[in-house]
């Protein structure tokens, strides 16, 4: 039975590790979404400022 208990403990440990990895992946996906939104905002602002500069330069 020792072998079976060892395997069972290893399975439980791997399950806990998988849960932690899923949580880290979810957090990373949320952070990626946040960074992507911020980048899009900055790209839009840069485009707007470039257009405004062209208008005032003319």
């Amino acid at each position: 039975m020792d072998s079976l208990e060892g395997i069972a403990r290893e399975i439980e440990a791997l399950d806990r590790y998988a849960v932690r990895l899923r949580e880290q992946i979810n957090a990373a996906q949320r952070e990626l979404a946040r960074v992507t939104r911020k980048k899009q905002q900055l790209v839009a602002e840069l485009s707007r400022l470039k257009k405004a500069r062209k208008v005032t330069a003319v």
Side-chain angles (χ1 to χ4, degrees):
M1 285 295 196
D2 287 338
S3 179
L4 293 177
E5 291 171 3
I7 292 172
R9 277 195 299 271
E10 187 174 356
I11 290 170
E12 291 171 2
L14 289 172
D15 282 342
R16 288 190 300 273
Y17 183 55
V19 167
R20 283 198 312 271
L21 287 175
R22 279 189 214 98
E23 290 170 352
Q24 290 174 352
I25 288 169
N26 289 337
Q29 288 174 332
R30 285 191 303 272
E31 180 66 6
L32 177 60
R34 185 190 70 77
V35 168
T36 301
R37 283 191 304 273
K38 180 65 175 175
K39 179 186 171 191
Q40 289 173 339
Q41 290 172 350
L42 291 173
V43 168
E45 182 179 352
L46 180 63
S47 177
R48 182 183 59 78
L49 290 172
K50 283 182 177 179
K51 287 178 185 177
R53 182 181 289 171
K54 284 181 183 177
V55 169
T56 57
V58 172

